[in-house]
Amino acid sequence: MKIKIRAILWDKDGTLLDGFAEWIRRDRELVGILAGEQAPVPLSPRHLEDLDRDTLTALGVSNGKVLPTGLLAHGTEEALLLALREVLASRMAVEAPAPFIQHARRVLKRLLEAEGPVKPKPTPAAAEALAFFSTRRLLQGLATSDRLPHARSEFEALGWTKYFSYWGCGDTVDKPKPDPWQGLDFCRQNALAPDEIAEIALVIGGWYL
């Protein structure tokens, strides 16, 4: 029996946008700031180098490449921050998980605000794919761990907001990725059956449905 696809649910970072390099830079800077706040004495250059290496490992980055099974590729913001907390906790006293996450999010928000507009870099064929599905009158939604204001600002810079009728972001959903809640919510809001949507996300080297 053939299934008619009526909607597309997109992943963002690594699928539509080549944003991993920016997030690696931000997370490394975040850890450096938090370490400076928490460490009883300034860390030596060697300790800072070790901290940076372990930060990359926690993110799921090896030899400059994002691992497809790593937290950066598939983890939630909360999972990423908890992993970074463990990196710091192995070296110094840190806050309990809940207050640490709250504080880290405030610092990250300040970093994003200080950056100002950053021109996002689309992945190859992303714009063509969005336009193609739009001309076929398929609904398109977004499922991302990123926060809504930042995700919208990136897509506005590219003229892509017109394609999306659903924004499932880390600060707008009940259960963030990798939980399937966003896909089911997309279905509920658009009167779709789960087998009527195609979810497109990243694998290293291409997309998968």
Side-chain angles (χ1 to χ4, degrees):
M1 183 178 75
K2 290 185 177 180
I3 300 296
K4 182 178 180 180
I5 298 299
R6 297 173 54 199
I8 306 295
L9 186 61
W10 289 96
D11 176 45
K12 181 171 77 74
D13 290 305
T15 303
L16 289 172
L17 297 182
D18 184 9
F20 282 141
E22 290 298 318
W23 281 111
I24 291 170
R25 176 184 58 76
R26 292 180 189 118
D27 287 334
R28 294 167 87 174
E29 188 173 354
L30 172 65
V31 169
I33 291 171
L34 296 175
E37 293 176 346
Q38 301 291 328
V41 295
L43 297 177
S44 69
R46 182 177 64 81
H47 286 137
L48 287 172
E49 184 178 331
D50 290 344
L51 178 66
D52 190 60
R53 180 202 63 218
D54 290 351
T55 296
L56 293 175
T57 299
L59 293 174
V61 179
S62 178
N63 296 321
K65 296 182 179 180
V66 177
L67 301 176
T69 56
L71 282 176
L72 191 62
H74 291 293
T76 64
E77 179 185 81
E78 181 174 327
L80 280 165
L81 293 178
L82 286 174
L84 298 180
R85 178 185 178 275
E86 289 303 310
V87 172
L88 291 169
S90 66
R91 294 166 166 82
M92 63 195 71
V94 296
E95 296 174 292
F100 176 89
I101 288 173
Q102 291 177 356
H103 179 57
R105 282 174 170 161
R106 288 192 294 268
V107 175
L108 187 57
K109 181 180 179 182
R110 292 199 299 270
L111 289 175
L112 290 170
E113 290 173 347
E115 280 182 8
V118 175
K119 182 69 172 180
K121 180 183 176 183
T123 55
E128 292 84 351
L130 290 169
F132 173 82
F133 289 124
S134 179
T135 60
R136 299 306 190 273
R137 300 187 181 279
L138 271 67
L139 296 171
Q140 298 189 76
L142 181 70
T144 177
S145 298
D146 196 4
R147 292 170 174 266
L148 177 60
H150 187 252
R152 285 192 70 96
S153 69
E154 289 185 312
F155 283 16
E156 283 170 358
L158 295 166
W160 285 2
T161 55
K162 62 187 177 184
Y163 294 124
F164 291 87
S165 61
Y166 175 82
W167 297 80
C169 298
D171 57 344
T172 65
V173 299
D174 289 351
K175 298 178 181 179
K177 295 166 50 181
D179 191 282
W181 190 93
Q182 285 165 308
L184 296 175
D185 188 49
F186 184 40
C187 290
R188 285 191 291 268
Q189 291 195 25
N190 293 283
L192 298 166
D195 58 4
E196 291 180 316
I197 71 170
E199 297 187 31
I200 303 181
L202 168 81
V203 291
I204 302 304
W207 291 341
Y208 73 83
L209 290 176

